[in-house]
Amino acid sequence: MDNIAGQKSGLSIVVNITVVVLVLLWLLPTIGLFVSSFRDRDQISNSGWWQAPMAVDLNFRTRADTDDEREVNGSFVIEGNVFADPALASRFPDATGRVAAFGGRAVAPGEFTVGTTAELRSGALLTVMEDGSFRLEADESFGARGPLIYFEARTPPQFTLANYNTVLRADGMDRAFINTLTVTIPATVIPILIAAFAAYALAWMDFPGRGLLIAAVVGLLVVPLQLALVPLLSLHTSIGIGQSFLGIWLAHTGFGLPLAIYLLRNYMVGLPRDIIESAKVDGATDFQIFVRIILPLSFPALASFAIFQFLWTWNDLLVAKVFLPSGAASQVMTVKIADDLLGSRGGDWGILAGAAFVSLAVPLVVFFTMQRFLVRGLLAGSVK
Amino acid sequence: MHPVIQGVLTIVIGVGGCVGYFYFSNMILDKVIFPARETRPNRTIGLPVVFGLPTLALVLGYAGPLVLQALAGEASMISAVFAVAVTAMLAYYLLKFALWAFPVDTVSPGDNINRANKVRPWLFLFPAMFALGLYLAYPVVGSFWRSLFDRSGANFIGFGNYMDLFAGSSFRTAVFNNLMWVLVVPAMATFFGLLVAQLTDRLKWGNIAKSLIFMPMAISFVGASLIWKFVYSANPDIGIINATRDFFGMAPVDPVQIPFWNNFFLMFILVWIQTGFAMVILSAALRGIPEETIEAAIIDGANPFQVFFSIKVPQIMGTIVVVWTTITILVLKVFDIVYTMTGGNFGTHILPSYMMTYMFRDDGRATAVAFVIMILVLPVMIWNIRQANKEMR
């Protein structure tokens, strides 16, 4: 098969390169966020994720300790090491590092190169060496509070689970995770059964109006969800369900049914007629045929719909926003990220990336383990 | 009650209820109402079940209370009359059906089985039809009806909501943007899908490549938006686009704030998600092309491009159209991307996101926007139904 379709080696290289480029384009954004979710949050905003394995120049500041002040030849001198500051111990555990540049003002923390002597605005002279040792010299005593020294230092790449820790413990993502599961599982299980019976009737039972009903299902397949929101929410409110888990289960069941019936019917119609007819001749009722023959044979179609419905309900934002109360107690992960985290922690990329991957983990696992069924379901629904 | 326990209970009740409903309704049908060995349907049980109980339920649950409320002045007289009329009509047809199904005379032994088999499809279909009717068919009418009323829902204002919408510039922007989405996203997703499907067709590592390009399908729109927010970030130390610009010495820009073009940056997120879908289906269609047609073309001296454009594409045209329409329908539903990326600012609103700005605030406007979406979907819907009918014949 490799030689047909006029494959020339030159073309084949072009094809390979194009596919590599496309795959990278499709993969890089996800990898970017994934790598970032493990990075220290200061490092995220100071160097791109593609530089994650490299050291990062971060800005720090330390206050010169006036206890070390000495008087030398009529001027006052403080000597010390910027890395000795206990406040920076978490960054430089062994109190050593490499200074890249230094400065005396917060707006220009790296205006002077290491080894040079700079005059601060107070008139004091500051020298910082590469190993972090500094020397401050002034004509008058520094008083009780020493001046601030700003410096840029290389920090080794730090990979941490801190973002995940924060997201899961402090930001309530654990609760949202449970809520998402609570929404998803009943909303996946219930429509399957209802749809399977209906699909069997539409595929294998003869009754007037069957064609019309199938056409109606195909039509309902494309009814925009937006139409259902207002009337159903007021219906739920009037019968006492209101915004609740029960309401969202019912809503997802209703919205998932057309696809379920359509997929299952397409699959069941293709089952061999002989089996069903010989079972009927042997005296099996429709109920028995359905339970003993059709259901086991339709397992692939049932599985593919289950995956669809699972992914769709897990990833849904719209239905959850409308049919669930907006409080933290019943927020699902998509709502949590879109409304809560993006709003209040819009700049905190570590938290956002961690939260995103907590919500993506389950669908991605489902996707890669059950891709076979997913593809089969897609094909049953579309290719004629 | 804790939601998790509630969930487990719902599964048990839901699944148990479904199985129980199907099992017992069939059993009653076969053993009690139309016993197969008898020569007569069971009239004493059949009549009350088919006619008596539903009529009683309608009278007690629907018409009765409304009439009482109307008499007490709490409900309008028209609705009470309407309820009585509906109830009477349904009861009449139920009675007619019951008298046909349960004749007084003896019938031939096979007749009972035949009658049972005529009723059975409706037993199988009932729960699905009920749910579909309530959750998808009723809202089409219900939304339209609601859109004719003002914000409070008390005053009928005809097409007032629609007039106000079309008069506002933000709505027109949303419609215009939405039309762009409908044109661009399906076209690009189908194009990339076809490209990848064709290129990976005979590649050794084609399946891995396809699997990776398919992956965004599993990612939520919110997750995808977050992933791309990262890519589009204006900070050259975060966003890879601005990092590249920085590398060439250009000033950073914020892609989602460039007027007009920001729409295309948002669209690309959906293209990124949907390409995998198009690829999977088109790849299967390409595999289904008869090998002989391609071989014949090669023997006739066609180059790879001619083979692709003149032999392969025409043969999978039907599938391309299906993919195109499926993505078109999806585009008209997705509000998540705009909502998460820009919140509709910088002129990026589309109809679904525009509707959400009115949701919970002005139901009349919200339903009017939703109905405009429905009208946009209508041609696709009709086309789909006609296709489905053609196949069944």
Side-chain angles (χ1 to χ4, degrees):
Chain A
M1 293 273 277
D2 272 314
N3 295 326
I4 75 167
Q7 293 248 343
K8 299 181 189 91
S9 60
L11 195 62
S12 146
I13 292 170
V14 175
V15 165
N16 269 298
I17 291 173
T18 319
V19 175
V20 168
V21 168
L22 280 171
V23 167
L24 279 183
L25 182 63
W26 251 252
L27 207 55
L28 275 183
T30 319
I31 293 178
L33 201 68
F34 187 62
V35 170
S36 301
S37 73
F38 290 105
R39 294 184 75 202
D40 179 80
R41 52 164 95 160
D42 292 331
Q43 296 201 334
I44 290 179
S45 45
N46 275 291
S47 75
W49 58 267
W50 51 93
Q51 294 168 320
M54 293 174 234
V56 183
D57 282 339
L58 289 183
N59 297 325
F60 300 97
R61 64 173 196 196
T62 182
R63 194 175 282 283
D65 192 351
T66 45
D67 291 348
D68 296 339
E69 191 180 81
R70 288 181 290 119
E71 206 182 327
V72 181
N73 302 334
S75 54
F76 295 83
V77 173
I78 304 178
E79 281 182 334
N81 192 305
V82 291
F83 296 116
D85 190 340
L88 300 177
S90 64
R91 288 287 179 177
F92 307 100
D94 47 0
T96 57
R98 268 183 59 214
V99 176
F102 70 96
R105 295 180 297 158
V107 288
E111 59 181 326
F112 310 118
T113 45
V114 284
T116 57
T117 301
E119 188 177 344
L120 303 183
R121 270 186 306 174
S122 60
L125 296 173
L126 172 64
T127 313
V128 181
M129 307 306 286
E130 195 178 350
D131 65 355
S133 58
F134 67 89
R135 179 190 160 88
L136 267 167
E137 195 174 337
D139 297 338
E140 294 164 25
S141 170
F142 289 101
R145 277 160 62 85
L148 279 169
I149 303 171
Y150 294 89
F151 64 100
E152 268 180 26
R154 297 248 116 169
T155 51
Q158 282 192 337
F159 292 100
T160 99
L161 289 172
N163 295 325
Y164 287 96
N165 213 348
T166 320
V167 165
L168 287 175
R169 298 261 169 84
D171 277 342
M173 204 63 180
D174 51 344
R175 183 64 200 263
F177 188 90
I178 303 279
N179 286 339
T180 303
L181 262 184
T182 314
V183 168
T184 307
I185 292 174
T188 306
V189 173
I190 296 172
I192 291 181
L193 258 183
I194 299 178
F197 276 95
Y200 173 71
L202 290 175
W204 287 105
M205 288 169 139
D206 255 329
F207 58 92
R210 186 172 76 161
L212 209 66
L213 274 180
I214 297 172
V217 169
V218 174
L220 290 178
L221 211 51
V222 301
V223 167
L225 219 57
Q226 276 82 4
L227 272 178
L229 302 179
V230 172
L232 285 181
L233 192 59
S234 48
L235 179 82
H236 279 179
T237 313
S238 69
I239 59 174
I241 297 176
Q243 286 182 315
S244 67
F245 280 104
L246 184 59
I248 196 171
W249 292 326
L250 292 175
H252 273 312
T253 302
F255 301 149
L257 270 182
L259 182 69
I261 297 175
Y262 182 67
L263 274 185
L264 293 176
R265 192 203 89 92
N266 274 2
Y267 188 86
M268 285 179 187
V269 159
L271 293 176
R273 180 175 282 272
D274 308 358
I275 303 179
I276 292 156
E277 279 179 356
S278 56
K280 270 191 183 153
V281 171
D282 289 347
T285 63
D286 274 305
F287 188 78
Q288 285 169 327
I289 292 174
F290 176 75
V291 175
R292 302 263 172 81
I293 299 174
I294 301 281
L295 270 192
L297 284 180
S298 309
F299 177 75
L302 295 174
S304 61
F305 170 73
I307 297 166
F308 270 118
Q309 180 76 355
F310 178 83
L311 289 179
W312 151 245
T313 46
W314 186 280
N315 290 336
D316 159 80
L317 171 68
L318 181 62
V319 180
K321 260 183 83 69
V322 174
F323 287 97
L324 277 183
S326 53
S330 49
Q331 258 176 351
V332 295
M333 286 190 290
T334 45
V335 177
K336 175 100 199 154
I337 292 173
D339 283 358
D340 229 28
L341 296 184
L342 266 178
S344 62
R345 325 205 44 164
D348 201 334
W349 284 107
I351 302 287
L352 284 174
F357 273 93
V358 170
S359 80
L360 293 186
V362 175
L364 285 179
V365 168
V366 169
F367 174 81
F368 280 114
T369 51
M370 309 212 186
Q371 207 174 9
R372 219 158 35 96
F373 290 112
L374 195 67
V375 170
R376 203 180 302 185
L378 277 181
L379 296 181
S382 311
V383 173
K384 306 293 154 31
Chain B
M1 197 170 15
H2 195 277
V4 175
I5 305 168
Q6 212 184 333
V8 174
L9 265 180
T10 309
I11 295 181
V12 171
I13 294 172
V15 173
C18 276
V19 173
Y21 161 80
F22 287 117
Y23 181 76
F24 287 111
S25 65
N26 275 284
M27 203 180 76
I28 291 172
L29 190 70
D30 288 327
K31 298 270 159 66
V32 183
I33 299 181
F34 296 113
R37 286 165 209 288
E38 308 276 323
T39 52
R40 184 182 299 179
N42 192 336
R43 206 169 185 190
T44 41
I45 297 179
L47 271 186
V49 168
V50 173
F51 166 70
L53 286 180
T55 310
L56 201 68
L58 275 173
V59 169
L60 290 184
Y62 176 50
L66 267 177
V67 169
L68 287 181
Q69 279 173 4
L71 288 179
E74 288 163 12
S76 73
M77 215 58 192
I78 300 169
S79 62
V81 172
F82 181 74
V84 170
V86 167
T87 308
M89 198 183 72
L90 285 176
Y92 170 73
Y93 281 109
L94 283 172
L95 186 64
K96 217 173 144 184
F97 173 75
L99 289 177
W100 165 82
F102 308 104
V104 192
D105 318 328
T106 38
V107 292
S108 64
D111 257 21
N112 261 351
I113 297 177
N114 287 342
R115 277 160 207 264
N117 283 344
K118 274 195 178 146
V119 178
R120 198 180 330 273
W122 301 104
L123 286 185
F124 274 54
L125 282 169
F126 172 73
M129 278 172 57
F130 180 75
L132 281 180
L134 189 64
Y135 278 85
L136 287 169
Y138 154 70
V140 177
V141 184
S143 265
F144 179 65
W145 185 243
R146 181 65 186 82
S147 72
L148 302 178
F149 289 81
D150 71 349
R151 196 176 142 182
S152 66
N155 306 313
F156 183 85
I157 53 168
F159 288 96
N161 283 319
Y162 296 88
M163 303 286 201
D164 289 352
L165 282 178
F166 279 102
S169 69
S170 54
F171 177 77
R172 287 201 303 263
T173 313
V175 173
F176 176 71
N177 287 342
N178 220 147
L179 288 178
M180 283 205 301
W181 277 70
V182 166
L183 290 178
V184 173
V185 174
M188 281 180 74
T190 314
F191 169 76
F192 278 120
L194 192 58
L195 185 71
V196 177
Q198 166 66 19
L199 292 184
T200 55
D201 203 25
R202 302 197 192 284
L203 222 54
K204 275 198 190 109
W205 56 292
N207 278 339
I208 301 170
K210 279 198 267 189
S211 184
L212 291 175
I213 289 183
F214 194 30
M215 181 201 65
M217 277 287 283
I219 294 177
S220 61
F221 296 123
V222 174
S225 305
L226 212 59
I227 287 173
W228 282 89
K229 222 176 170 129
F230 211 72
V231 173
Y232 289 157
S233 169
N235 180 347
D237 282 328
I238 292 177
I240 200 162
I241 290 181
N242 278 309
T244 317
R245 284 178 65 91
D246 199 51
F247 183 78
F248 291 110
M250 289 183 277
V253 290
D254 193 342
V256 299
Q257 292 193 20
I258 309 168
F260 185 70
W261 297 107
N262 52 6
N263 286 299
F264 291 90
F265 286 105
L266 300 190
M267 285 177 214
F268 190 74
I269 302 175
L270 194 54
V271 173
W272 181 74
I273 295 175
Q274 287 301 313
T275 294
F277 164 76
M279 175 203 69
V280 163
I281 290 171
L282 294 173
S283 166
L286 283 177
R287 294 252 161 103
I289 293 177
E291 207 67 57
E292 306 87 67
T293 57
I294 298 164
E295 274 174 32
I298 295 169
I299 291 168
D300 286 349
N303 66 35
F305 293 98
Q306 286 172 322
V307 169
F308 181 68
F309 287 108
S310 308
I311 308 292
K312 288 186 171 177
V313 169
Q315 293 195 62
I316 58 167
M317 210 53 200
T319 315
I320 292 179
V321 175
V322 169
V323 169
W324 194 294
T325 48
T326 311
I327 300 177
T328 306
I329 295 165
L330 184 93
V331 170
L332 287 166
K333 291 181 186 172
V334 175
F335 95 110
D336 318 35
I337 293 175
V338 170
Y339 182 81
T340 321
M341 293 294 287
T342 62
N345 296 318
F346 321 117
T348 54
H349 258 312
I350 55 175
L351 287 175
S353 66
Y354 190 67
M355 182 208 168
M356 283 310 279
T357 60
Y358 286 116
M359 189 77 207
F360 302 119
R361 292 199 292 121
D362 185 344
D363 283 352
R365 286 280 176 83
T367 46
V369 179
F371 205 75
V372 173
I373 302 176
M374 176 76 205
I375 291 169
L376 289 178
V377 175
L378 213 55
V380 184
M381 186 194 250
I382 293 167
W383 190 84
N384 264 6
I385 293 175
R386 291 177 65 164
Q387 280 312 101
N389 276 344
K390 228 185 267 174
E391 271 151 39
M392 265 181 295
R393 251 174 241 136

